[in-house]
Amino acid sequence: MTHNTPLSPRPLHHLADGGRRLVTAAQLRRHGVSAAATDEQCRPGGPWQQLLPNVVLLHPGPPTSEERLHAVLLYAARERPAGGTVAVPVQPGPGEAPAPAYAEAMITGRAALTLHGFSATPPLPSLDVIDVLVPRLRRLRSTGCARIVRTTALPTAEQVTGVPVAPVARALADAVAELTDAGAVRGLLTEAVRGGHCEPAAVVRELNRARLLSRPHVVDAVDSLVAEGRALAEQRLYRMVREHGLPEPVWNVDLRLPGGPHLGGLDAYWPEHAVALELDTRGHRQQDDALWAEHARKREHLERLGITVVHVTPRKLRDCLEHQAAVVRTALMAAGDREPPAHVVVLPR
């Protein structure tokens, strides 16, 4: 075969139509392009190029960031059956079909965080490798710009600019796994919380699942993250009381029975109504089940004493502040219909 030998004009025209520029070797074969013909087109200086094993870019110029992302996904995704989508539109425009789903593959790590809008991660063109998350038993190896990250349970991907991307907490864990600089880790975790991308508890769960909490620089960063998350949640709580016209509570107090045991700490307490509010900001050194059991025991004890406990999470305060204010207001209004509570001593915490 010579350089000028035509290669199935109809299929090649179809593949290149509409900006569709990436295909797998298997997809080419299904359109009548042999392996030998593909190798000929991908020779140095040829019209095509092989970006990754079995992934072909149908133009000779440097790949764009979008093309690199889709190439990594094509390389890692489980092959679609014959008759499926044969190429990837790099930037779907109005009226074009959406980007195809990639079976058992999604972008994770720093590339995913950049797609989620993080400023602490490099822009896509600056990344030498792109992490892609796949099931643990997939037979793949890292190569070229694709770094394989394995997991026993693939999360539900989020679509960002037509690309399946791991949720922020999972992408953070995969990014942190590759970092040894404490400042870089702290910067990523801080941006995750301050930027409202996710709650500290979700990040901590993923870091714990990835067994990264044994690394001192990660533990230090997580301590800062938990403190940051709690401070933000407390600010939202103060704003909820102020902006929604709730009575001013006493803040950050301990309750005790007169001459008796300690009943627990509370973030806010309305003594005249016997209504308590507790923020759920669970620490990373305790198992969720054990800590939830402790919360439940305290709540049951307080309610037996006639104290209503409102339990809120930082996420609820972030996403539905007005609804949380209504919950507290309802509890306060219902106070007059309850039996008088037991007398408790309120102390500053």
Side-chain angles (χ1 to χ4, degrees):
M1 176 182 294
T2 68
H3 170 56
N4 295 321
T5 301
L7 297 176
S8 305
R10 187 192 60 78
L12 293 185
H13 180 270
H14 172 71
L15 289 174
D17 185 44
R20 298 172 184 272
R21 305 219 176 156
L22 283 166
V23 291
T24 66
Q27 290 167 344
L28 283 171
R29 287 194 299 272
R30 290 201 293 269
H31 281 73
V33 183
S34 67
T38 299
D39 290 343
E40 171 68 13
Q41 295 293 93
C42 291
R43 74 198 184 289
W48 297 353
Q49 54 187 307
Q50 183 173 300
L51 289 188
L52 290 165
N54 297 315
V55 179
V56 177
L57 181 64
L58 300 180
H59 70 77
T64 65
S65 295
E66 291 82 1
E67 286 170 340
R68 292 176 75 228
L69 288 169
H70 286 292
V72 167
L73 288 164
L74 275 177
Y75 168 67
R78 190 175 292 280
E79 183 67 36
R80 296 170 68 88
T85 301
V86 298
V88 180
V90 176
Q91 290 181 319
E96 290 184 348
Y102 293 97
E104 298 186 353
M106 66 187 71
I107 302 299
T108 190
R110 292 193 297 170
L113 296 179
T114 296
L115 288 168
H116 278 299
F118 275 62
S119 62
T121 50
L124 293 175
S126 300
L127 292 173
D128 294 328
V129 295
I130 295 171
D131 293 328
V132 58
L133 190 63
V134 301
R136 183 174 61 86
L137 297 180
R138 291 290 308 283
R139 293 183 177 180
L140 288 167
R141 62 181 178 86
S142 298
T143 183
C145 64
R147 179 162 54 201
I148 301 299
V149 180
R150 303 181 188 280
T151 181
T152 55
L154 207 63
T156 300
E158 299 177 12
Q159 292 292 322
V160 182
T161 65
V163 176
V165 177
V168 169
R170 174 66 207 225
L172 269 173
D174 291 332
V176 167
E178 301 296 327
L179 296 175
T180 57
D181 180 77
V185 172
R186 187 178 297 109
L188 285 179
L189 300 190
T190 299
E191 183 171 356
V193 174
R194 287 184 183 175
H197 294 285
C198 61
E199 295 299 329
V203 177
V204 170
R205 280 194 296 272
E206 286 294 346
L207 293 174
N208 185 52
R209 189 174 293 132
R211 300 180 181 178
L212 295 172
L213 294 181
S214 61
R215 303 182 183 183
H217 69 287
V218 176
V219 172
D220 290 344
V222 167
D223 286 338
S224 298
L225 171 77
V226 172
E228 176 90 13
R230 180 166 188 87
L232 285 174
E234 288 176 345
Q235 289 173 16
R236 293 178 184 132
L237 187 58
Y238 299 148
R239 184 160 61 90
M240 179 189 76
V241 170
R242 182 176 64 253
E243 293 182 0
H244 292 275
L246 297 174
E248 189 74 15
V250 288
W251 299 102
N252 297 313
V253 295
D254 279 321
L255 298 187
R256 292 181 181 274
L257 288 173
H262 175 243
L263 298 173
L266 298 170
D267 295 283
Y269 184 58
W270 288 264
E272 298 83 358
H273 306 81
V275 172
L277 185 144
E278 187 173 24
L279 273 173
D280 178 11
T281 54
R282 307 182 197 183
H284 64 281
R285 291 187 176 89
Q286 292 176 280
Q287 294 295 324
D288 282 357
D289 289 346
L291 193 55
W292 178 254
E294 179 183 329
H295 278 297
R297 284 194 297 271
K298 180 168 72 173
R299 179 172 185 163
E300 290 171 3
H301 193 180
L302 291 175
E303 291 187 340
R304 284 198 300 270
L305 296 172
I307 296 171
T308 299
V309 180
V310 178
H311 182 267
V312 299
T313 64
R315 182 173 182 176
K316 289 178 180 178
L317 288 173
R318 183 192 70 186
D319 296 342
C320 48
L321 193 65
E322 184 176 358
H323 175 71
Q324 295 308 301
V327 170
V328 173
R329 183 177 290 107
T330 299
L332 295 172
M333 293 173 61
D337 299 329
R338 301 194 307 267
E339 293 294 324
H343 178 66
V344 295
V345 178
V346 182
L347 301 171
R349 185 164 60 175

